[in-house]
Amino acid sequence: MINLSTTMMESDFREVLCNKLRMGFPATTLQDIQRGVTSAVSIVHSSLQQGKFDTKGIETNDEAKMSFLVSLNNVEVCSENIMTLKKNLENDCRKLFSQDLGGDQAKAKIDSCLSDMASVSNKFRDLLQEGLGELNTTAIKPQAKPWINLFLSVSHNIEEEEFNDYEANDPWVQQFIVNLEQLMAEFKVGLSPISYENLTSLLTSLIALELEKVVLKSTFSRLGGLQFDKELRSLIAYLTTVTTWTIRDKFARLSQMATILNLERVTEILDYWGPNSGPLTWRLTPAEVRQVLALRMDFRNEDIKRLRL
């Protein structure tokens, strides 16, 4: 019975959920809308050819989104429930074997069956991560990446007047945070707390990666470096409030870039490098440190090249 149940969960039920997730999470870009319209037209055309108009195959965008999120929640709960079932069966079997029923051979068979059950639970967990990855790629990245790229439209090669103006009228990070909050609101409502946490983790990794790219395409003054440091601190502070997981490790490289961009002179990096680094573990290579130093418009290339890192 254990083997039969395990087989049904893996080959039948998991496949049902897998098929639902393969439908994907509908995005809202123009290209995706056009694909959705084409699909709907195809269904209508097929129905008319058969002499009837059947709308059962046409799923609205909102329905498709909800179906995907519900399927993710079901996958997560299935993985947990399978492990709960395994533990309950282990307890029941332990009581039986304590009465010397079945012997060592029977116990070995039961242990093997329960091990297969744990393996199936892991397959559901893998499917969950796959579905969350699809959600991150389809629904979050296309929205978040353009918002991050707006960083490039804000000059960080600034003087005191612009710095003060930025302080009064934030040019990028506050609106970025508002956009993120609105984007994630739908998923916070539709996903279980655990799945939402996992999705938020993927989001923070995405932000750290894409923000690093745009920073390396920018130029900075001393005050521009200070502005970036303020923006990064605000972003990390916000993201810390939306997840119980620590995220500072994901932004370690960006935080070190902000430190470099805030230096008063090139040689000041030596106060933080090598034997002077203290508990700090540098995530940037010497070549990357030089690359970031070169983003400062007031630092000379000759001084950067002379550094011994």
Side-chain angles (χ1 to χ4, degrees), residues 29-237:
T29 63
L30 179 60
Q31 185 178 7
D32 292 312
I33 293 173
Q34 290 172 337
R35 277 201 294 265
V37 171
T38 302
S39 176
V41 169
S42 176
I43 293 173
V44 172
H45 183 66
S46 176
S47 298
L48 292 175
Q49 282 185 327
Q50 297 172 18
K52 61 180 181 179
F53 183 68
D54 184 7
T55 59
K56 290 182 179 179
I58 304 176
E59 191 174 38
T60 68
N61 207 48
D62 288 342
E63 289 172 341
K65 287 182 177 181
M66 182 56 66
S67 176
F68 189 91
L69 297 181
V70 168
S71 296
L72 277 179
N73 291 337
N74 286 338
V75 170
E76 179 208 319
V77 172
C78 285
S79 177
E80 293 177 355
N81 286 348
I82 291 171
M83 290 307 295
T84 300
L85 177 60
K86 175 180 178 290
K87 290 177 182 177
N88 290 338
L89 289 172
E90 283 176 335
N91 291 333
D92 291 342
C93 291
R94 193 176 297 115
K95 293 175 183 177
L96 290 173
F97 291 121
S98 67
Q99 303 170 23
D100 293 329
L101 297 177
D104 292 341
Q105 187 175 3
K107 184 177 183 301
K109 288 182 179 180
I110 291 293
D111 288 343
S112 176
C113 294
L114 294 176
S115 176
D116 290 341
M117 188 172 284
S119 176
V120 171
S121 174
N122 289 333
K123 289 181 179 180
F124 274 91
R125 191 174 295 113
D126 291 342
L127 180 59
L128 174 63
Q129 292 305 315
E130 183 181 328
L132 289 171
E134 161 70 15
L135 191 59
N136 183 54
T137 300
T138 305
I140 293 180
K141 186 175 181 179
Q143 298 276 3
K145 191 174 179 179
W147 298 334
I148 296 171
N149 287 340
L150 287 175
F151 182 92
L152 292 170
S153 66
V154 178
S155 175
H156 284 74
N157 185 15
I158 57 175
E159 300 303 326
E160 189 168 353
E161 183 178 351
E162 291 123 320
F163 179 76
N164 292 333
D165 182 55
Y166 285 0
E167 189 168 16
N169 305 288
D170 182 84
W172 175 72
V173 74
Q174 293 304 322
Q175 186 59 49
F176 179 46
I177 290 173
V178 170
N179 291 340
L180 288 178
E181 197 158 11
Q182 293 174 345
L183 173 65
M184 297 302 289
E186 176 182 12
F187 306 121
K188 188 172 184 178
V189 173
L191 289 173
S192 70
I194 292 177
S195 291
Y196 180 73
E197 284 272 308
N198 284 318
L199 185 63
T200 302
S201 177
L202 293 175
L203 169 68
T204 54
S205 296
L206 169 67
I207 292 173
L209 179 65
E210 295 299 329
L211 184 55
E212 185 176 322
K213 292 178 182 177
V214 296
V215 168
L216 291 174
K217 294 178 182 178
S218 304
T219 55
F220 298 82
S221 63
R222 170 72 176 84
L223 288 174
L226 181 57
Q227 173 65 22
F228 170 59
D229 184 68
K230 291 173 59 179
E231 290 167 335
L232 185 61
R233 289 177 185 273
S234 295
L235 182 58
I236 292 175

Side-chain angles (χ1 to χ4, degrees), residues 200-202 204-205 208 245-254:
T200 302
S201 177
L202 293 175
T204 54
S205 296
W245 294 354
T246 177
I247 64 167
R248 292 190 179 278
D249 188 63
K250 295 182 179 182
F251 286 86
R253 284 173 57 87
L254 279 165

